[in-house]
Amino acid sequence: MIDGSILIGQGTRRSEESFRAYDPATGAVVGPGFSIASTQDVADACALAADAAEAFGSLGPTVRAAFIEAVADAITAIGDVLIETAMAETGLPRARLEGERGRTIGQLQLSASVVRQGDWLDATLDSALPERVPPRPALRRMNRPVGPAAVFGASNFPLAFSVAGGDTASAFAAGCPVVVKGHSAHPGTGELVARAVQKAVAACGLPEGVFSYLPGKSHELGAALVADPRIKAVGFTGSRGGGLHLVDIARKRKEPIPVYAEMSSVNPVIILPGALAGRGIELAGAFSSSLTLGAGQFCTNPGTIVAVDGPALDIFVGAAADALAGVEPATMLNSGIAEAYREGVAALDRNPAVERASDIHGASHNRCAPALFDTTAEAYVRDASIREEVFGSAAIVVRCRDLAEVAATVSAMEGQLTATIHMDDGDMEAAQALSPLLADKVGRLVNGWPTGVEVTHAMVHGGPFPATSDTRSTSVGPLAIARFLRPVCFQNLPEEMLPPALRDGNPWRLSRRIDGELRAPAVATQPNA
Amino acid sequence: MIDGSILIGQGTRRSEESFRAYDPATGAVVGPGFSIASTQDVADACALAADAAEAFGSLGPTVRAAFIEAVADAITAIGDVLIETAMAETGLPRARLEGERGRTIGQLQLSASVVRQGDWLDATLDSALPERVPPRPALRRMNRPVGPAAVFGASNFPLAFSVAGGDTASAFAAGCPVVVKGHSAHPGTGELVARAVQKAVAACGLPEGVFSYLPGKSHELGAALVADPRIKAVGFTGSRGGGLHLVDIARKRKEPIPVYAEMSSVNPVIILPGALAGRGIELAGAFSSSLTLGAGQFCTNPGTIVAVDGPALDIFVGAAADALAGVEPATMLNSGIAEAYREGVAALDRNPAVERASDIHGASHNRCAPALFDTTAEAYVRDASIREEVFGSAAIVVRCRDLAEVAATVSAMEGQLTATIHMDDGDMEAAQALSPLLADKVGRLVNGWPTGVEVTHAMVHGGPFPATSDTRSTSVGPLAIARFLRPVCFQNLPEEMLPPALRDGNPWRLSRRIDGELRAPAVATQPNA
């Protein structure tokens, strides 16, 4: 079932050279040699995508929703080999991967339901005013897909943020063909999912260019994909360096395009004095669990604890260190990530303004131990290197003299995916004072722990730079579809030239804003086209 | 009333050096010496704006709407001196400027009504699911202002796209303080409007940093404003070079920010065979009017005519040349724009693949004559210089062998604000075939003429690069507010910490999306907070 192919539309190709996948726990080779897509493969995939864009983009909501559901079904149909392959390639445990598969399918199903519902089209009609001087023409606006999208798989979610993850689900929902650059750390998993998508395209009778899959290892492959003039938007989850590289390529194009890169976040956790005094030990245990979940390889991993210094904080730090001492070192996703983690921990160890707060033991090969550090707000604000993300289960406690210094610490931070406040009743005033400051820095403000990104309408998995490259976007939830849409106005067009979403009879039965007022469709007498 | 001041919050300042405004029709000096804002002025204005951001951004819809209406009223209260000053500084006629003032006030009033209505907040609530394993927390999302915005006035609309134009109206609507870099060609007009906004801020009891006005001539002033770390978004209407310069500064910041630059468009007009044969002479007259409106100084000026070659096109071109011969040369906005127009016309004149199709006569000083050129689709597709915008009343006719070459001509074009199709009954098939191709290139597809940008809900004054620097945006209409907003999710927050838009009782009486379903507010018992 996995033969290391490149998938271009409905075709498969092999390259002469190949690369291998490795089990990060053992270093053993997993699966066959995987083909390396060439610049010609990129060009061919993009040409097919461009050919498919108009037909796919103008499908009715019901048809496109059915396709997205077919993708979800095809992933389910892969069966257990998908979980086994992902386990071998990523070192993640079965339960985690089964959960992630459920989430991936759930994302696709939610996207399909949102597509079918149709509000994302933002159909808006302003009537002609022929009596006005000068007469006002009829104006009608809707969202249209931007065109073919490039999607880059992330290493840390081999299913939910990879080949048919959130970026692909939302690009498909918007009506954009997708060309995926597969992540080289899980190419077998990627190929299984890609073949499922390829099958769904065929089963739904869609133009083959709706989906292509380009495995490979080099930065040049991704660069060529983003530079291709037929690509109109890019979705990426990964490192800050990787994301900024793609942003740079995209803006140097003859036609610059948006790159939606989700990159870097230390996800500050503010523990207010009442909560710290009242349940510091309990919080320390929950913190340890959140920090070490999935070997700390979550974008929303709580990497920075900010609190007012004192005995209660000492107790929290001690209890957290104890809890972390009980956590077995965990296999990281690949040797590059493990190496970067060890380097990040070593850099904090070398920093004279930072102290180790936990025992780090038992690490070996790609298994890394959690690490807790301790510093002062003064040092944290002064030294940008302390504020950098260490991807994995490392965190730093920032000791503040008072609540004013807590605010100063938050102010020194860059943009974040999340910030968390832990508060008890006596903390309300402090929490209210900090809340706008935190909301300005993040995509999501949490009372609880930041890990666990729900796929719902209200979710924002985004935030100011460098959390993402576009602060107005989210990569999770139905709002993610907006990244792949743009508004177009049709002025005074005859009925036959209008897209169905804007025609007089409202054939797609959409809620539409008419002369400023949102109106629900009349009761349906037949299903959407 | 006009003394050449810099307005920083509620304060006024003068610089030692100053610059002058000139009547473009006569070259005479108009008004006093105008101060030149310094980098210190920029820093002070931005500091005040940052101070005001939280208070202004969290105002209830009714209060902020009242402020925007107060701005509109204050502009009305300036009286005729505003029109007279603008006439002297721009050479635009009274009727045009009175119309533009009406539009400016209308934009503000529409923004206010949209703010009051509240849908722009996109309030979205997902219920907690405590029984789920693991339990789902309550998630609530809304749009928040991005923070202080920099707005650059445009020369060609001294009111509607300047100090209190569409960018300022939409930034205010979003809840962003505004720092305006005034355009140096109409500093008296700018100051009058800026003083009106300053008064409205005071009258409404808002923090003074909600608005500042920085006159000046240099690129350094604008560059310093965009580079200031407290500025979070930029609105700009002007040249491609100017817009791209700001984009470049914005992306090189430590925290890159979005620049919404509306820049460059030749606004192709496709005349299909039936329309050309049936009413070529009528179309030629209307084309002449649209091309020469406001001395051709509209962003949506119809600069390129695309049609199938033949006797009907010869008749159209001849009739257009005749109509243009009857149009008096018109004073352009300033000597720089007039010079650029003359250079653009001369470059087309020098191009061996381009022929003159109209007599160009009567030009003098800043008065420029309309110009019509003629070329082949082959030359147009081959030579990018022919496709460049000549700002002013110059247009080129592109002669195509057949409809396939019309499509090829459209395909060769860059992104545009508008495209126009003229069609008669027999043209429907061709129009339908071209329509998706055109929709991919533009923000607005018109059956008619592109000049006349209505300020309504369905308007899109935007488009793919280089029409704008952000293809998902419009600078006209309520959707323009979205440029200054970003979504933030609040997870599991106690009621007291939630913004009013997301609280249980729906105190702002918004339509909110609850568990995926959009729900209108219950009948209001009291007005919005």
Side-chain angles (χ1 to χ4, degrees):
Chain A
M1 220 173 160
I2 302 170
D3 69 3
S5 288
I6 302 159
L7 312 187
I8 312 281
Q10 289 298 313
T12 56
R13 296 182 184 179
R14 304 275 314 164
S15 66
E16 288 196 15
E17 286 189 274
S18 65
F19 70 99
R20 308 303 303 234
Y22 301 93
D23 183 330
T26 63
V29 165
V30 181
F34 290 93
S35 290
I36 298 171
S38 66
T39 51
Q40 185 60 50
D41 296 325
V42 170
D44 292 345
C46 293
L48 280 185
D51 286 347
E54 172 56 27
F56 185 58
S58 55
L59 289 178
T62 305
V63 179
R64 196 149 66 238
F67 163 63
I68 296 170
E69 285 163 343
V71 172
D73 292 345
I75 292 171
T76 303
I78 301 169
D80 204 51
V81 65
L82 180 62
I83 302 300
E84 282 165 7
T85 305
M87 287 170 68
E89 289 183 333
T90 66
L92 294 170
R94 170 173 286 276
R96 152 68 202 275
L97 286 165
E98 286 180 349
E100 189 181 330
R101 178 176 59 185
R103 178 203 173 116
T104 305
I105 291 165
Q107 283 178 166
L108 288 159
Q109 288 167 337
L110 179 62
S111 290
S113 75
V114 167
V115 167
R116 199 172 267 118
Q117 195 271 340
D119 282 359
W120 56 280
L121 288 159
D122 200 18
T124 302
L125 290 74
D126 292 321
S127 305
L129 299 175
E131 310 297 319
R132 200 194 67 176
V133 182
R136 187 176 85 176
L139 293 152
R140 301 186 179 192
R141 165 167 68 77
M142 65 180 286
N143 285 326
R144 278 171 56 92
V146 293
V151 169
F152 287 73
S155 64
N156 61 337
F157 280 84
L159 300 171
F161 284 85
S162 193
V163 176
D167 286 342
T168 297
S170 44
F172 280 164
C176 299
V178 170
V179 180
V180 168
K181 154 72 175 67
H183 198 286
S184 59
H186 55 259
T189 310
E191 184 180 334
L192 285 172
V193 175
R195 286 183 181 276
V197 181
Q198 190 185 46
K199 268 184 216 160
V201 171
C204 294
L206 297 182
E208 60 171 335
V210 164
F211 179 78
S212 290
Y213 172 72
L214 306 172
K217 271 188 93 79
S218 75
H219 290 314
E220 287 70 25
L221 171 59
L225 179 57
V226 175
D228 191 286
R230 290 157 293 205
I231 294 295
K232 300 300 183 185
V234 179
F236 170 90
T237 299
S239 71
R240 185 164 176 171
L244 292 181
H245 180 58
L246 297 185
V247 169
D248 201 48
I249 293 166
R251 71 162 181 79
K252 284 181 180 156
R253 290 165 45 123
K254 195 177 155 210
E255 179 194 11
I257 54 170
V259 174
Y260 300 101
E262 191 248 279
M263 298 183 292
S264 177
S265 186
V266 300
N267 304 297
V269 175
I270 322 295
I271 307 182
L272 290 174
L276 193 62
R279 50 187 172 105
I281 292 173
E282 178 195 327
L283 285 169
F287 162 64
S288 168
S289 299
S290 180
L291 179 68
T292 58
L293 201 66
Q297 300 167 122
F298 286 104
C299 315
T300 56
N301 198 47
T304 306
I305 301 281
V306 184
V308 174
D309 202 5
L313 185 54
D314 292 339
I315 290 169
F316 170 86
V317 171
D322 285 350
L324 291 171
V327 176
E328 283 298 299
T331 301
M332 297 194 79
L333 289 157
N334 57 61
S335 56
I337 286 177
E339 183 56 35
Y341 177 77
R342 281 191 295 266
E343 280 171 17
V345 168
L348 287 171
D349 258 336
R350 281 193 304 271
N351 194 315
V354 174
E355 286 181 25
R356 258 202 206 203
S358 72
D359 201 27
I360 304 177
H361 62 88
S364 66
H365 188 55
N366 293 337
R367 285 160 60 86
C368 293
L372 185 63
F373 294 91
D374 209 333
T375 193
T376 62
E378 185 275 321
Y380 188 84
V381 169
R382 171 173 43 80
D383 183 350
S385 76
I386 307 181
R387 301 197 297 272
E388 279 173 21
E389 180 183 14
V390 178
F391 188 74
S393 53
I396 190 160
V397 175
V398 181
R399 292 175 183 262
C400 303
R401 282 189 301 260
D402 50 26
L403 286 170
E405 210 171 58
V406 170
T409 300
V410 169
S411 293
M413 288 181 173
E414 296 184 290
Q416 305 289 340
L417 293 170
T418 73
T420 291
I421 297 190
H422 290 284
M423 53 186 295
D424 281 353
D425 288 350
D427 294 320
M428 183 55 78
E429 198 179 327
Q432 284 175 323
L434 277 173
S435 173
L437 191 63
L438 288 167
D440 272 352
K441 292 276 181 187
V442 304
R444 180 164 56 108
L445 181 56
V446 181
N447 173 26
W449 294 99
T451 43
V453 178
E454 297 288 342
V455 183
T456 68
H457 295 273
M459 175 51 62
V460 177
H461 190 61
F465 184 91
T468 74
S469 55
D470 185 322
T471 186
R472 292 174 310 145
S473 67
T474 171
S475 64
V476 175
L479 191 60
I481 301 172
R483 300 175 298 166
F484 300 103
L485 294 168
R486 67 181 189 85
V488 177
C489 173
F490 299 89
Q491 178 173 322
N492 209 25
L493 251 56
E495 185 75 1
E496 304 95 306
M497 280 181 69
L498 284 170
L502 299 179
R503 287 191 193 148
D504 281 344
N506 193 11
W508 284 358
R509 312 204 68 75
L510 304 166
S511 288
R512 308 199 292 188
R513 189 173 300 276
I514 299 177
D515 295 323
E517 195 188 325
L518 197 60
R519 299 203 198 157
V523 176
T525 52
Q526 52 184 11
N528 286 345
Chain B
M1 223 176 157
I2 301 170
D3 70 4
S5 287
I6 301 159
L7 310 188
I8 312 280
Q10 288 297 314
T12 56
R13 297 181 184 178
R14 303 274 315 163
S15 66
E16 288 198 13
E17 285 189 273
S18 65
F19 70 97
R20 308 302 303 233
Y22 301 93
D23 184 329
T26 63
V29 165
V30 182
F34 290 93
S35 289
I36 298 170
S38 67
T39 52
Q40 186 60 50
D41 296 324
V42 170
D44 293 346
C46 293
L48 279 185
D51 287 347
E54 174 55 27
F56 185 58
S58 54
L59 289 178
T62 305
V63 179
R64 195 148 69 237
F67 163 63
I68 297 170
E69 285 163 343
V71 171
D73 292 344
I75 292 171
T76 303
I78 301 169
D80 203 52
V81 66
L82 181 61
I83 301 299
E84 282 165 6
T85 304
M87 286 170 67
E89 289 183 335
T90 65
L92 294 170
R94 171 174 285 275
R96 151 69 199 272
L97 287 164
E98 286 179 349
E100 190 181 330
R101 177 175 60 184
R103 177 200 173 117
T104 306
I105 291 165
Q107 283 179 164
L108 288 158
Q109 289 167 336
L110 179 62
S111 290
S113 75
V114 167
V115 167
R116 199 173 267 118
Q117 195 270 340
D119 282 358
W120 57 279
L121 287 158
D122 201 17
T124 302
L125 290 76
D126 292 322
S127 305
L129 300 175
E131 311 297 320
R132 199 194 64 174
V133 182
R136 188 176 84 177
L139 293 152
R140 301 185 179 193
R141 165 168 67 79
M142 64 181 285
N143 285 325
R144 279 173 55 92
V146 293
V151 169
F152 287 74
S155 64
N156 60 337
F157 280 84
L159 301 170
F161 284 85
S162 192
V163 176
D167 285 342
T168 296
S170 45
F172 279 163
C176 299
V178 170
V179 180
V180 169
K181 152 73 175 66
H183 199 285
S184 59
H186 55 259
T189 309
E191 185 180 336
L192 285 171
V193 175
R195 286 183 181 276
V197 180
Q198 190 186 47
K199 268 185 216 161
V201 170
C204 295
L206 297 183
E208 59 172 335
V210 165
F211 179 79
S212 290
Y213 171 74
L214 305 172
K217 272 189 92 79
S218 75
H219 290 314
E220 287 72 22
L221 172 58
L225 180 58
V226 174
D228 191 287
R230 290 158 293 205
I231 294 296
K232 300 298 183 187
V234 179
F236 169 89
T237 299
S239 71
R240 184 165 177 170
L244 291 181
H245 181 59
L246 297 185
V247 168
D248 201 47
I249 293 165
R251 74 166 179 79
K252 285 181 181 156
R253 292 165 44 122
K254 195 177 155 211
E255 181 194 10
I257 54 170
V259 174
Y260 300 101
E262 191 249 280
M263 298 183 291
S264 176
S265 188
V266 300
N267 302 299
V269 175
I270 321 295
I271 308 182
L272 291 174
L276 193 62
R279 51 190 171 103
I281 292 173
E282 178 195 328
L283 285 169
F287 162 65
S288 169
S289 299
S290 180
L291 179 67
T292 59
L293 201 67
Q297 300 167 122
F298 286 103
C299 314
T300 55
N301 198 47
T304 305
I305 301 281
V306 184
V308 175
D309 202 5
L313 184 55
D314 292 338
I315 290 170
F316 170 86
V317 171
D322 286 350
L324 291 170
V327 177
E328 283 298 300
T331 300
M332 296 194 80
L333 289 157
N334 58 60
S335 55
I337 286 176
E339 183 57 33
Y341 177 76
R342 280 191 295 266
E343 281 172 16
V345 167
L348 288 172
D349 259 336
R350 281 194 303 272
N351 193 316
V354 175
E355 286 180 26
R356 260 202 205 204
S358 73
D359 201 26
I360 304 177
H361 62 89
S364 66
H365 188 55
N366 292 336
R367 285 161 59 87
C368 294
L372 186 64
F373 293 92
D374 210 334
T375 193
T376 62
E378 185 276 321
Y380 188 84
V381 169
R382 173 174 42 81
D383 183 351
S385 76
I386 306 180
R387 301 197 296 271
E388 279 173 20
E389 180 182 14
V390 178
F391 188 72
S393 53
I396 189 160
V397 176
V398 181
R399 293 177 183 260
C400 303
R401 281 189 301 260
D402 49 27
L403 285 169
E405 209 172 57
V406 170
T409 299
V410 169
S411 293
M413 289 182 173
E414 296 184 289
Q416 305 288 339
L417 293 170
T418 73
T420 292
I421 296 190
H422 290 284
M423 54 188 291
D424 282 353
D425 289 348
D427 295 319
M428 183 56 76
E429 198 180 327
Q432 285 175 321
L434 276 173
S435 173
L437 191 63
L438 288 166
D440 272 352
K441 292 276 180 186
V442 305
R444 181 165 55 107
L445 180 56
V446 181
N447 173 27
W449 294 99
T451 44
V453 178
E454 297 288 341
V455 183
T456 68
H457 295 272
M459 176 52 61
V460 177
H461 190 61
F465 184 90
T468 75
S469 55
D470 185 323
T471 185
R472 291 174 311 144
S473 67
T474 172
S475 64
V476 175
L479 190 61
I481 300 172
R483 299 175 299 167
F484 300 103
L485 294 168
R486 67 182 188 86
V488 178
C489 172
F490 299 90
Q491 178 173 324
N492 209 25
L493 251 55
E495 186 75 3
E496 305 94 306
M497 281 180 69
L498 284 171
L502 299 178
R503 285 190 194 149
D504 282 345
N506 194 9
W508 284 358
R509 312 205 67 74
L510 304 166
S511 289
R512 309 199 291 189
R513 189 172 300 275
I514 300 179
D515 295 323
E517 195 189 325
L518 197 60
R519 298 202 198 157
V523 176
T525 52
Q526 52 184 9
N528 287 346

